[in-house]
Amino acid sequence: MSIAAAFAAAFVGAAVAMFALASAAATMLGITQLPVHWRVVLAGTGLLSMAVVDLRSMLRSTYCPIGWRRQAPRILMRRYHMLAVATLWGFDTGLLVTTFRVAAASWGALYLAALGLSPQWTGFAYGVGFALPFLMLLARPGLGRAARAATPMDPGLETMLRMRSLIQGFSAALLIASGAVLFSSLIA
Amino acid sequence: MRRMYTESVHLLVRTVGVLHLVVHRCDMLTDAAALVTPIALALAFVAGFSQLFSP
């Protein structure tokens, strides 16, 4: 459990740092000085575009095409202590931009930070969105049985990977709803 | 897959329709600056959750 906690803590830390960096960049580049209505229009347009990306990913049964197509290297497990590897993995995946993205909602959230439209601590919401369910899943008896079984058994991870399309659909719905609400607020 | 896509599109259209009604009936939803923070937090939370399903 200490390994899982290290992974989750590193994930949250990296997410907080990345969103804070995006917000800081928005301030340094003067983006936050732009009129809020302009930034809201850019945000709405971007979110709706990302929804199209999610729908396309669903149709093609692929992961989000935006971003670096890599995952944390597993070979590190054989060379270094598991606690250090878990911390590095957590930090790598928590950075958003260095590994696979399942849904474009990740980019939508980072985009809003880059436009100076979200709080600097938004990364904490991203980190908690992953870390809490992750730790709850590890506490499930299914994973424990799989770890102790004499023969290989599916701990439910394959089932989760098959739910990718549903998550992408939900992400697309949220991105469209968010874009629609932002545009509606300008027109109303 | 085609049925899932069709159902998703119908769900999205209904969601947008409902939101349009809500925005026009609730004065509090006309402030873009106030809306964007909860939107950003909701997107960030869902984005983090979606990464549980990565390879």
Side-chain angles (χ1 to χ4, degrees), chain B residues 4-38:
Chain B
M4 185 188 292
Y5 172 71
T6 305
E7 286 175 359
S8 298
V9 171
H10 286 161
L11 175 63
L12 289 171
V13 169
R14 282 199 295 268
T15 304
V16 171
V18 167
L19 280 169
H20 183 76
L21 279 173
V22 170
V23 166
H24 278 277
R25 287 172 191 272
C26 296
D27 290 337
M28 63 178 285
L29 292 179
T30 57
D31 186 350
L35 282 172
V36 76
T37 295

Side-chain angles (χ1 to χ4, degrees), chain A residues 40 47 58-59 61 63 71 100-102 105-106 109 112 117-119 121-122 125-126 129-130 133-134 160-161 163 167 170 173-178 181-182 184-185 188, chain B residues 1-2 4-5 8-9 11-13 15-16 19-20 23-24 29-33 35-55:
Chain A
V40 168
L47 295 185
M58 281 174 65
L59 274 177
S61 295
Y63 290 94
Q71 192 51 286
F100 278 102
R101 296 295 98 193
V102 173
S106 298
L112 292 182
L117 289 174
S118 60
W121 49 271
T122 300
Y126 178 85
F130 174 87
F134 170 71
M160 282 186 64
L161 291 179
M163 292 171 65
I167 296 300
F170 185 70
L174 185 60
L175 286 165
I176 289 177
S178 301
V181 167
L182 289 178
S184 296
S185 67
Chain B
M1 182 58 72
R2 185 183 294 273
M4 185 188 292
Y5 172 71
S8 298
V9 171
L11 175 63
L12 289 171
V13 169
T15 304
V16 171
L19 280 169
H20 183 76
V23 166
H24 278 277
L29 292 179
T30 57
D31 186 350
L35 282 172
V36 76
T37 295
I39 285 173
L41 292 176
L43 273 174
F45 188 86
V46 167
F49 181 73
S50 73
Q51 285 309 112
L52 281 172
F53 304 85
S54 69

Side-chain angles (χ1 to χ4, degrees), chain A residues 33-118:
Chain A
Q33 302 303 314
L34 294 174
V36 69
H37 284 78
W38 290 14
R39 288 184 280 145
V40 168
V41 169
L42 286 172
T45 308
L47 295 185
L48 292 177
S49 303
M50 288 172 202
V52 172
V53 170
D54 267 336
L55 291 172
R56 181 178 169 272
S57 299
M58 281 174 65
L59 274 177
R60 298 186 178 197
S61 295
T62 61
Y63 290 94
C64 178
I66 305 172
W68 203 347
R69 301 186 81 74
R70 70 173 277 278
Q71 192 51 286
R74 293 172 192 263
I75 197 168
L76 294 175
M77 278 195 299
R78 296 179 203 155
R79 295 181 190 171
Y80 303 103
H81 192 277
M82 199 57 215
L83 195 61
V85 172
T87 304
L88 185 64
W89 276 358
F91 193 79
D92 189 5
T93 53
L95 284 176
L96 268 97
V97 299
T98 56
T99 54
F100 278 102
R101 296 295 98 193
V102 173
S106 298
W107 298 112
L110 198 61
Y111 181 55
L112 292 182
L115 286 174
L117 289 174
S118 60

